Amino acid sequence: MRIVLTGFRGTGKTTVGGIVADRLGIPFLDTDQLIEERAGMKIPAIFRDKGEAAFREMERQAIASLPGDGIVVSAGGGAVLDPGNVAHLRRGSLVFLLGASEGTVISRIGGSDRPPLTGRPLSEEVRELLRARRPAYLRAADFCISTSGKSPEEVGSEVMRVFRDGPASPDSRTRGERFIGDLPLDGRDRKALSSILHGAGDSPRGICGITGYPCSHSRSPALWNQLFSRYGLPYFYTSFEWPAIEEVIRAARDLGVRGLSVTIPFKEEVMGCMDEVDEDARAIGAVNTVVQCGGVLKGFNTDWLGVRAPLEDLRGARAAVLGAGGAAAAAVYALLSLEMEVTILARTVEKADRLASRFGCRAGPLSSFGKLSPQVVVNATPVGMLANRSSLLAEEDLGEGMTVFDLVYTPPETPLLSLARRAGCRVIPGTEMFIHQACEQFMHVTGVRVPEALIRELV
Ligand code: NAP
């Protein structure tokens, strides 16, 4: 296992890294020092003579060449902005983000010979870069430790404690274990979770999972556990199937759960349990992804990105969304972000009206579909699922030049898609939404960008 320290300049990565390496009796490597040694020149001179792009390339090479085990690494302040670097740094590692307030950073780095990255005064540059880099820092980290007001020795002790015992205190771990005891899990999951909580051998060190009621049928655990092993990430993904979301979130805090996928019926209710909600999720009114770092839980929505990605080439099209529930809200948000002209059609017209007035688009009954001649149709109702194998539209409603996206993904070929195919439409199955949203969710939780083709192969 490696320990990797990330964070902005002035957060003490090099000093703390040296302290932790000494205490563990293993070597310490600083990627900035490695770059300077290989280039035979100091970083300010590399920036001055070769430019930032050349420095970033040297940084990529240095990070890719780091030993895979038994080492403490301090990664340069901007390294984790590159998802390729994150994949290398995270492999077989525990990543600690060392944080500090703006004032602390400025007082620590004032007078350094490092070149400014933006050409602006130091305080403005620090404020702007801390804000811009925060999402990437949080995604790439397993644990966040604040260094403000602490000595490097104190921070080093905190890193050692979390490395040895995990982020949870013994009391909260006991509470979390009690909750896990009540979950309907199989023997394999119980064993994996128990070895994580008791730090057995080389077992994974952290927990992720899906929560919903029900959710034990989900394909997410199989997918995520394959991805974790592919990318060498020390996590185990399980299923938190439980009827009360606030109890799941309490347990997630107690156990230091890193990431949760949230599914029906909790996507709206879970927002009230978050410390922060990102602005897309707030606009949609639903969270399907929770990420925890440093005891702070933040909610995101990746469903809308799953609808948006396969339709990106249809910017400005005329679109009809069938349904007015949670998936429809994500779909409408996605289509509007592509500047489409959107009409929401639903069985309960008042719901369609309410959703349309939130987003400033049009609404109507399902029977008005014929008058719209849309170029894009998105089915955001459960009609077409295994238990409801029918279609809200007939073959004569559909025609060439239309793209039909059915968000239902069990079965992959729904009655609507079969009719659309026969009518000469371009069809997009619901598995595409699942694949794209899973890619974005994995990125939020780990900072690693997985190619869609890999997820397509694994699901
Ligand atoms: P939801 O909040 O319960 O909303 C369902 C919507 O469908 C409501 O507008 C509902 O209308 C309408 N509806 C239900 N049965 C209908 C019927 N027989 N005829 C006409 N309209 C009907 O559910 P949701 O969270 O939006 O999910 C909808 C579907 O999206 C799910 O079933 C799932 O298949 C799909 N989905 C796929 C993915 C993916 O990754 N591919 C992700 C999320 C969701 P009323 O209000 O009148 O009941």
Side-chain angles (χ1 to χ4, degrees), residues 255-433:
L255 296 165
V257 167
R258 165 67 183 172
L260 278 177
S261 313
V262 182
T263 184
I264 292 171
F266 297 139
K267 289 185 186 182
E268 288 90 22
E269 197 183 341
V270 74
M271 289 178 72
C273 308
M274 298 291 99
D275 301 310
E276 296 176 23
V277 174
D278 114 304
E279 66 180 283
D280 298 317
R282 195 172 290 289
I284 293 163
V287 155
N288 76 330
T289 307
V290 175
V291 181
Q292 177 163 212
C293 204
V296 174
L297 265 70
K298 181 162 181 175
F300 299 90
N301 186 302
T302 63
D303 281 337
W304 74 282
L305 294 165
V307 177
R308 186 190 147 105
L311 297 172
E312 263 173 4
D313 56 334
L314 293 166
R315 188 172 280 277
R318 204 166 39 256
V321 173
L322 313 182
V332 170
Y333 190 72
L335 303 184
L336 290 176
S337 79
L338 292 171
E339 292 157 6
M340 292 193 194
E341 186 191 309
V342 180
T343 306
I344 303 165
L345 303 177
R347 163 171 84 173
T348 311
V349 180
E350 304 78 68
K351 281 195 189 169
D353 281 337
R354 264 204 303 279
L355 195 57
S357 68
R358 256 179 66 203
F359 288 112
C361 53
R362 279 198 279 261
L366 288 164
S367 56
S368 62
F369 182 86
K371 295 186 212 135
L372 289 178
S373 47
Q375 295 147 311
V376 171
V377 180
V378 177
N379 175 39
T381 76
V383 179
M385 286 178 80
L386 288 174
N388 191 354
R389 298 214 62 174
S390 57
S391 164
L392 289 174
L393 301 176
E395 191 171 336
E396 52 275 21
D397 293 323
L398 307 164
E400 278 177 32
M402 256 187 210
T403 296
V404 177
F405 191 172
D406 197 341
L407 303 191
V408 170
Y409 67 95
T410 43
E413 181 73 7
T414 60
L416 172 63
L417 291 185
S418 302
L419 292 175
R421 226 181 270 284
R422 276 213 298 275
C425 305
R426 171 185 165 204
V427 302
I428 306 173
T431 41
E432 286 302 302
M433 174 178 177

Side-chain angles (χ1 to χ4, degrees), residues 121-305:
L122 182 66
S123 60
E124 264 181 45
E125 173 168 302
V126 168
R127 185 172 316 124
E128 176 51 25
L129 287 179
L130 279 176
R131 192 197 56 75
R133 289 179 175 181
R134 186 167 180 260
Y137 281 144
L138 293 179
R139 284 194 294 259
D142 297 303
F143 309 110
C144 307
I145 293 183
S146 166
T147 67
S148 294
K150 295 177 191 160
S151 70
E153 285 72 21
E154 286 170 319
V155 178
S157 299
E158 210 169 322
V159 171
M160 292 291 292
R161 185 187 58 72
V162 175
F163 177 65
R164 244 190 353 253
D165 306 330
S169 70
D171 279 355
S172 63
R173 209 166 31 235
T174 307
R175 275 198 308 270
E177 268 193 284
R178 225 175 287 134
F179 179 80
I180 284 177
D182 292 336
L183 290 176
L185 293 172
D186 64 20
R188 186 193 74 128
D189 281 40
R190 280 196 193 291
K191 204 165 147 213
L193 292 169
S194 162
S195 54
I196 291 170
L197 293 168
H198 298 103
D202 277 343
S203 64
R205 306 291 294 264
I207 302 168
C208 291
I210 181 164
T211 185
Y213 196 71
C215 66
S216 54
H217 60 283
S218 167
R219 299 190 218 167
S220 293
L223 171 67
W224 282 68
N225 284 324
Q226 286 182 85
L227 292 173
F228 287 152
S229 88
R230 203 54 88 116
Y231 287 92
L233 304 179
Y235 282 95
F236 180 72
Y237 190 103
T238 189
S239 171
F240 293 88
E241 185 177 75
W242 194 251
I245 186 63
E246 70 280 7
E247 291 175 31
V248 175
I249 296 299
R250 197 175 312 131
R253 290 185 193 273
D254 282 341
L255 296 165
V257 167
R258 165 67 183 172
L260 278 177
S261 313
V262 182
T263 184
I264 292 171
F266 297 139
K267 289 185 186 182
E268 288 90 22
E269 197 183 341
V270 74
M271 289 178 72
C273 308
M274 298 291 99
D275 301 310
E276 296 176 23
V277 174
D278 114 304
E279 66 180 283
D280 298 317
R282 195 172 290 289
I284 293 163
V287 155
N288 76 330
T289 307
V290 175
V291 181
Q292 177 163 212
C293 204
V296 174
L297 265 70
K298 181 162 181 175
F300 299 90
N301 186 302
T302 63
D303 281 337
W304 74 282
L305 294 165

